[in-house]
Amino acid sequence: MDRAPHPRTTRLRRNIARLTGAFTATALGATALVALGGTASGATSSATSRAAQGTASSAAAANLAQNPGFESGLSGWTCSAASGTTVASPVHSGSAALKATPAGSDNARCAQTVAVKPNSSYTLSAWVQGSYVYLGASGTGTTDVSTWTPSATGWQQLSTSFTTGAGTTSVTVYTHGWYGQPAYYADDISLTGPGGDPGDPVPGAPSGLKAGAVTSSSVDLSWSPVTGATGYNVYRDGSKVQSVGGTSATVTGLSPSTSYQFQVTATNAAGESPRSAAVTGTTSAGSGGGGGGTVPKHAVTGYWQNFNNGAAVQKLREVQDQYDIIAVAFADATGTPGAVDFTLDPAVGYGSEQQFKDDIKAKQAAGKSVVISIGGQNGTVSINDSTSADNFANSVYALMREYGFNGVDIDLENGLNATYMTQALRSLSAKAGSGLVITMAPQTIDMQSTSNAYFQTALNIKDILTVVNMQYYNSGSMQGCDGKVYSQGSVDFLTALACIQLEGGLSPSQVGLGLPASTRGAGSGYVSPTVVNNALDCLARGTNCGSFKPSRTYPGLRGAMTWSTNWDATAGNAWSNAVGPKVHGLP
């Protein structure tokens, strides 16, 4: 959210630059591939010449990759989101090849960890087929490498090389496709160079996996120990969600009354075992949401501006009644890392802080929640270690006690660290209790994939999270959950992007649509309240959809958010008068 007269134009330029950079990189990559194609005959000739001269040592170089041709299924390989399988056709050689299918929020990454030697050179290659196929190595200790092809209608070889760092004893080699694209194929993956010391052999697959106690958001798992294992990975519905040292784990952040499939693998320095047999765990019934017990089932969120940027100046008491959550924007960073404070701006016209506190109490007496928002476009709060996480939790809790805020809104638009933001919010929850309201307002690009730090944080705190009101504006075109690209300003943009969150692990009660209240409230992306209401109907009821229609409905959808109550008031409260009744009338 922005304090300037023309909100978010700075971030809009930044997002356009990021997207332009991505497309430029793609164009350059394609140009490079065309250039390589133009010299293919020469390269082949040179390779043939070298072979004729005799390169016995290269030909005899051992392949360090396990099961490189997928003749033993996926043994030795781990594919994200259960995206990988083996097929008998097409194959480059032998009787099998990898087929991996990306999804809207998964790029079908298949990987294995290989023992290597420090300060050594390696060559990685693979034969691939399909659109947007990548081959790479990570954890090299120097520069991680990758190469790709935008289109391989037949088998094409990708190759890259790297040198390991002084302390590197293992690297991860991988292939992946791209979000929403068709399946790709890979075969005959090769990693050549000095073999490392694998130590103990790769452990066997765990046995005896059982699902134990459950809550509305968690499942307890246990299994038998595996000889030679130093740790275990836990998979939920095909995706790795935890790494633990013992033979039990509690998987959290789950939806109520929902069945999940779990598997575990054993690991040591030599690699990762095949997965165990799967078990199913079903969570108990619950409200479906996280914290914030005072928030109604369907809620409208509005940001109240603690500054004057040309919008109507309001006191909290003047915020119209359709708003259920009022986010006071913004708290400010202090000189202490992670800590925040709040100063009431004289521009909003309060005679004293006590009057402001009294207005908070009055709104709460009317059934509203008032939270303190952290960040905005100009926010500089940084939480990158345990100390700053503690400082954040302590300072927000102090503001809650001083002013009476119900909770906190996270609107950090310059990135966040999922590990330490999770720690900070869980620490705050422990202090404030189950009534804590936690809202988030990420940008569209922050919620394109569950691997993004914002999305990870939301999933990490799912059991205490109230609502994520993603900003569907100032973002240009973005990919929907069906893999298609949609332009902002349409029903399809709202519904197809909301679908990513709804199918990516958040409960419907934790998803809201964030839109500007007027054309002056954002640099781009304003839509009329009618479009907002049509999107709400599409998601909750399956009606009034555009060209995109979700495969199922989400009647528990939390609602909508706007920037800001001040811009709404400037436009005669047209947004809240139209969207508020629609939200409150959802099933």
Side-chain angles (χ1 to χ4, degrees):
M1 311 303 173
D2 199 325
R3 309 172 193 233
H6 300 286
R8 300 189 177 277
T9 54
T10 300
R11 189 183 70 252
L12 176 62
R13 288 194 294 269
R14 183 168 69 247
N15 282 347
I16 290 174
R18 290 170 70 180
L19 292 172
T20 302
F23 288 124
T24 301
T26 301
L28 290 173
T31 303
L33 288 169
V34 169
L36 287 171
T39 61
S41 60
T44 302
S45 176
S46 297
T48 303
S49 176
R50 286 193 300 272
Q53 295 170 12
T55 55
S57 60
S58 296
N63 185 0
L64 305 180
Q66 303 174 46
N67 188 25
F70 302 94
E71 305 299 320
S72 300
L74 294 179
S75 177
W77 295 91
T78 300
C79 297
S80 61
S83 57
T85 188
T86 54
V87 293
S89 178
V91 299
H92 177 255
S93 69
S95 60
L98 168 70
K99 177 183 179 181
T101 307
S105 58
D106 178 70
N107 64 3
R109 184 179 190 269
C110 295
Q112 72 168 251
T113 300
V114 182
V116 295
K117 288 185 176 180
N119 297 320
S120 300
S121 296
Y122 294 85
T123 298
L124 174 66
S125 65
W127 290 89
V128 301
Q129 187 175 145
S131 299
Y132 301 100
V133 193
Y134 292 71
L135 172 71
S138 61
T140 65
T142 54
T143 301
D144 290 350
V145 295
S146 67
T147 183
W148 69 291
T149 174
S151 179
T153 55
W155 288 105
Q156 175 180 327
Q157 189 177 35
L158 296 178
S159 183
T160 186
S161 60
F162 60 90
T163 300
T164 53
T168 303
T169 57
S170 67
V171 297
T172 298
V173 297
Y174 62 85
T175 63
H176 70 73
W178 198 247
Y179 305 98
Q181 296 298 315
Y184 72 88
Y185 301 87
D187 201 0
D188 296 332
I189 295 175
S190 173
L191 179 67
T192 58
D197 180 8
D200 295 331
V202 175
S207 61
L209 178 61
K210 298 177 182 178
V214 301
T215 70
S216 61
S217 61
S218 68
V219 173
D220 288 347
L221 301 173
S222 63
W223 55 92
S224 301
V226 176
T227 301
T230 57
Y232 300 89
N233 292 331
V234 180
Y235 291 81
R236 183 192 70 209
D237 294 336
S239 297
K240 187 169 79 172
V241 293
Q242 277 190 50
S243 294
V244 296
T247 56
S248 65
T250 298
V251 181
T252 60
L254 308 179
S255 297
S257 302
T258 302
S259 294
Y260 296 90
Q261 187 180 80
F262 300 98
Q263 293 171 287
V264 293
T265 61
T267 63
N268 63 14
E272 182 178 22
S273 76
R275 297 184 190 182
S276 69
V279 299
T280 298
T282 303
T283 54
S284 59
S287 64
T294 60
V295 177
K297 178 180 178 181
H298 301 297
V300 180
T301 303
Y303 284 80
W304 175 84
Q305 298 178 187
N306 180 42
F307 48 87
N308 181 0
N309 68 344
V313 175
Q314 291 180 312
K315 295 182 175 65
L316 275 181
R317 70 181 78 107
E318 297 167 337
V319 173
Q320 87 118 317
D321 194 54
Q322 292 291 345
Y323 292 101
D324 304 289
I325 304 174
I326 302 168
V328 172
F330 295 96
D332 300 303
T334 70
T336 302
V340 297
D341 201 357
F342 176 76
T343 302
L344 189 63
D345 192 330
V348 301
Y350 277 104
S352 68
E353 281 198 344
Q354 188 57 52
Q355 292 177 2
F356 176 67
K357 295 174 183 178
D358 290 343
D359 277 0
I360 292 176
K361 290 180 180 178
K363 281 295 182 183
Q364 292 167 336
K368 316 300 182 183
S369 295
V370 183
V371 300
I372 181 66
S373 183
I374 313 296
Q377 180 174 306
N378 299 327
T380 57
V381 180
S382 181
I383 303 168
N384 293 316
D385 55 31
S386 293
T387 299
S388 57
D390 288 341
N391 292 339
F392 179 87
N394 291 335
S395 60
V396 172
Y397 187 53
L399 292 177
M400 291 176 63
R401 287 182 294 173
E402 180 179 358
Y403 290 93
F405 295 125
N406 297 90
V408 65
D409 169 71
I410 306 301
D411 183 23
L412 296 174
E413 298 179 10
N414 296 298
L416 56 77
N417 182 302
T419 298
Y420 295 110
M421 179 55 76
T422 298
Q423 177 183 324
L425 293 174
R426 288 207 170 276
S427 177
L428 178 61
S429 175
K431 299 173 187 294
S434 60
L436 176 68
V437 176
I438 300 177
T439 65
M440 302 175 75
Q443 301 169 97
T444 49
I445 200 167
D446 293 325
M447 300 297 285
Q448 281 278 283
S449 168
T450 54
S451 63
N452 183 277
Y454 237 115
F455 212 141
Q456 287 178 18
T457 301
L459 294 175
N460 288 348
I461 63 164
K462 184 177 175 181
D463 56 316
I464 57 173
L465 173 66
T466 306
V467 63
V468 175
N469 293 303
M470 190 179 79
Q471 303 171 33
Y472 294 77
Y473 50 99
N474 286 346
S475 56
S477 299
M478 288 285 168
Q479 184 170 268
C481 68
D482 58 350
K484 296 180 180 179
V485 175
Y486 295 94
S487 298
Q488 68 178 5
S490 66
V491 170
D492 288 336
F493 186 77
L494 305 185
T495 54
L497 268 69
C499 174
I500 295 176
Q501 300 170 60
L502 292 162
E503 293 299 320
L506 294 179
S507 297
S509 64
Q510 294 173 316
V511 177
L513 308 181
L515 284 307
S518 72
T519 55
R520 298 177 66 189
S524 66
Y526 170 78
V527 297
S528 72
T530 299
V531 173
V532 181
N533 288 348
N534 286 344
L536 292 169
D537 276 338
C538 179
L539 293 168
R541 297 185 171 96
T543 60
N544 292 326
C545 298
S547 62
F548 171 79
K549 185 173 183 178
S551 59
R552 56 185 175 132
T553 59
Y554 310 93
L557 192 76
R558 180 67 83 172
M561 170 275 279
T562 197
W563 176 266
S564 62
T565 65
N566 305 74
W567 286 116
D568 188 25
T570 303
N573 289 320
W575 191 91
S576 55
N577 281 331
V579 177
K582 172 62 71 171
V583 168
H584 297 136
L586 291 174

